[in-house]
DNA sequence: GCCGTTTTCGGCCCGACTGTTTTCAGTCG
């Protein structure tokens, strides 16, 4: 059977809800189902794939019994035990659980009263795409600007998944420090553009903007603002682990714990403070306790951008060219403080342009790029070429060997033979980098499936790089795959894939992906000074 | 039902807001 993580999570939550209504099973057993559902929903691997590979153990909260149920589910499409537990409950009961604010008890009450029709139910379920990270940033900035204008606000921050720099954001979370929390909540609820107020209390509120965006605020006193920041940054799993740990040490931690800073909060547990990007309960708590946190790469470490598209003239471009000239791109790179910058246009389409024409186009363009070099920046000659359906490249070797570096990427046939094609492309000695390796487009196209382990091993052995692409709807290689790749020793380059000058500022989002993958500067070749960088690419200086 | 540096038995995160059952259960993050 086909089953997404979300569908499986829903199946487990339904069982938990049935237990609650039938008053069978204890509260902790129910919590175990909900916990398993949470972990499955947040897993970056497909549970079905893990099951096929016998790796269900990788998901926390799945014990022997739960794994047995999932085994039955995938093999037969049903689980007898689940059906027994759910027996006697109407299907509308389970649909009602998807309505915000409706849990098992309320749903059962509504079913019994018989006043609910499926029609009004569906209209209450808000289900939109999640926001891309840069869009969420821009929205958050406007709200921050508004909140800062209140004289009652001492400090204000955007938290939640935005502060953790997750690739897509569901709602926006803010914290504020104030001596008069109630006044700040009132002020927040008067923000222009509000459609409705969902919840409003002494210290917190939830609103929906006319755009449909949900915004939460949590306000606290300055003396416990550190705990508030920590609490509302999450993730939920990270917080639960911390509080469980606190409990074992005879402490009770919450957003009210008297700590002015997050450092103080973590200090209570003798922990170093983990960067917000890695607070996902994937080992950062243990690393914090053992004082072994990674020193994550920072935006200031970046010394160049290698994936940039210019408007250099081209006959029959294979893909969309950039909007700005090479000269303008170089100037922007200097403004960004880069030591080197690489122009990587798409080559002419090989189906309509002869091999000889492609070679002479590459040669002519090389001279233009060469002429851009100045004392303040090194300008490099690259291309982003296609990996074709059979694994061949769209540009002949005679042209590739004249480049400083070559990026190869799949731009068609995103479902076919990915492993084989990537491996064939990597075997070409001129190919240095695989661009946007999984080819996902957020909210549009899922990651391609491939044998990443095989690809990672090959990259390490043969000095090949994977790209972390900072384009807003790519953020590819994904953070979780970055982390696994780093365990094999893979090196990366973080690029923006900018098609216009302003997109060169997206580097910070590429860096955040690397950080979420626990990447350090040593792992990212474009944090290296030009001497070391050039050595890797065998570029003559 | 899960899990392990006090434990293979005996625990399991914490607190705010809503609505109504005026003292708390249900839901959420």
């Amino acid at each position: 059977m086909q089953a997404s993580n979300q569908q499986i999570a829903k199946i487990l939550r339904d069982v938990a809800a049935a237990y609650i209504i039938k008053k069978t099973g204890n509260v902790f057993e129910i919590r175990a189902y909900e916990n398993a559902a949470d972990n499955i929903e947040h897993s970056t691997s497909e549970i079905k794939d893990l099951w096929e590979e016998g790796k269900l153990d990788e998901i926390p909260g799945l014990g022997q019994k739960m794994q047995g149920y999932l085994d039955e589910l995938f093999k037969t499409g049903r689980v007898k035990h689940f059906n027994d537990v759910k027996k006697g409950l109407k299907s509308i009961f389970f649909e009602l659980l998807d309505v915000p604010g409706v849990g098992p008890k309320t749903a059962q009450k509504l079913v019994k009263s018989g006043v609910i029709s499926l029609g009004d139910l569906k209209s209450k379920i808000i289900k939109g795409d999640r926001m891309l990270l840069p869009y969420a940033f821009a929205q958050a900035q406007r709200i921050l600007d508004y909140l800062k204008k209140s004289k009652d606000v001492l400090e204000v921050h955007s938290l939640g998944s935005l502060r953790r720099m997750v690739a897509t954001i569901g709602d926006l979370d803010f914290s504020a420090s104030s001596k008069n929390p109630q006044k700040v909540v009132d002020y927040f609820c008067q923000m222009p553009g509000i459609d409705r107020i969902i919840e409003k209390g002494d210290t917190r509120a939830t609103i929906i903007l006319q755009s449909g965006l949900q915004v939460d605020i949590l306000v606290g006193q300055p003396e416990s603002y550190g705990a508030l920041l920590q609490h509302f940054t999450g993730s939920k799993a990270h917080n639960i682990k911390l509080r469980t740990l606190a409990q074992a040490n005879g402490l009770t931690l919450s957003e009210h714990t008297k700590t002015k800073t997050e450092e103080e909060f973590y200090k209570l547990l003798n922990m170093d403070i983990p960067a917000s990007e890695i607070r996902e309960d994937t080992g950062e708590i243990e690393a914090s306790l053992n004082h072994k946190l990674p020193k994550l790469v920072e935006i200031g470490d970046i010394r160049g951008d290698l994936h940039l598209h210019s408007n250099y003239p081209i006959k029959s471009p294979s893909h969309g060219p950039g909007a700005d000239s090479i000269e303008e791109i170089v100037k922007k790179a200097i403004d960004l403080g880069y030591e080197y910058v690489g122009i990587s246009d798409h080559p002419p389409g090989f189906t309509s342009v002869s091999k000889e024409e492609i070679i002479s186009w590459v040669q002519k363009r090389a001279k233009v790029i060469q002429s851009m070099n100045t004392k303040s920046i090194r300008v490099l000659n690259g291309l982003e070429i296609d990996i074709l359906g059979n694994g061949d490249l769209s540009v002949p070797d005679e042209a590739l060997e004249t480049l400083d570096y070559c990026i190869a990427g799949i731009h068609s046939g995103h479902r076919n033979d990915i492993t084989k094609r990537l491996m064939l492309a990597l075997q070409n000695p001129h190919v240095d980098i695989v661009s946007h390796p999984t080819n996902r487009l957020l909210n549009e196209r899922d990651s391609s499936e491939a044998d990443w382990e095989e690809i990672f091993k090959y990259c390490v052995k043969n000095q090949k790089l994977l790209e972390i692409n900072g384009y807003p709807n790519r953020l590819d290689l994904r953070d979780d795959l970055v982390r696994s790749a780093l365990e094999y020793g893979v090196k990366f380059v973080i690029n923006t894939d900018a098609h216009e000058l302003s997109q060169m500022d997206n580097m910070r989002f590429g860096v955040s992906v690397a950080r979420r993958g626990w990447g350090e500067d040593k792992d990212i070749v474009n944090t290296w000074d030009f001497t070391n960088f050039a050595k890797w690419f065998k570029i003559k200086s």
Side-chain angles (χ1 to χ4, degrees), chain A residues 314-318 347-361 394 396:
Chain A
I314 184 171
K315 187 174 135 194
S316 323
S318 51
F350 72 103
T351 48
S352 49
V353 176
S354 73
K355 182 173 160 181
E356 288 69 31
E357 276 181 288
I358 293 181
I359 295 172
S360 87
W361 179 86
S394 63

Side-chain angles (χ1 to χ4, degrees), chain A residues 34 48 99 103 129 157-158 160 174 201 263 289 295 317 367 381 389 476 535 538:
Chain A
E34 290 167 345
K48 179 92 186 283
V99 179
D129 283 341
H157 292 91
S158 65
F174 295 89
E263 284 84 350
L289 283 165
K295 194 184 173 310
K367 285 186 187 141
N381 176 21
D476 182 10
K535 245 181 241 166
K538 301 184 179 68

Side-chain angles (χ1 to χ4, degrees), chain A residues 510-531:
Chain A
V511 170
S512 71
V513 174
R515 289 170 64 82
R516 287 181 56 78
W518 294 47
E520 307 187 24
D521 56 3
K522 66 175 169 53
D523 306 313
I524 316 291
V525 298
N526 56 324
T527 66
W528 302 353
D529 62 30
F530 186 70
T531 310

Side-chain angles (χ1 to χ4, degrees), chain A residues 5 40-47 49-50 53 58-59 164-168 277-278 280 282 437-438 440 442 446-450 452-453 456 466-468 474-488 490 492 509-519:
Chain A
N5 287 357
I40 287 171
E41 193 170 57
H42 292 131
S43 166
T44 44
S45 309
E46 288 293 322
I47 300 303
D49 295 344
L50 290 180
E53 296 161 22
E58 287 183 11
I59 306 293
R164 300 201 313 281
M165 302 293 273
V166 182
T168 61
E277 291 93 333
I278 62 171
E280 302 287 351
T282 54
T438 82
R440 74 168 175 185
L442 294 165
D446 286 342
S447 296
S448 298
E449 284 175 31
W452 296 112
E453 194 176 320
F456 296 159
L466 295 181
E467 178 182 71
I468 295 174
R474 289 194 184 269
L475 301 185
D476 182 10
L477 194 64
R478 296 193 322 247
D479 48 19
D480 60 299
L481 285 173
V482 169
R483 183 134 181 234
S484 351
L486 286 173
E487 279 160 22
Y488 288 90
V490 176
F492 286 91
F509 301 111
V511 170
S512 71
V513 174
R515 289 170 64 82
R516 287 181 56 78
W518 294 47

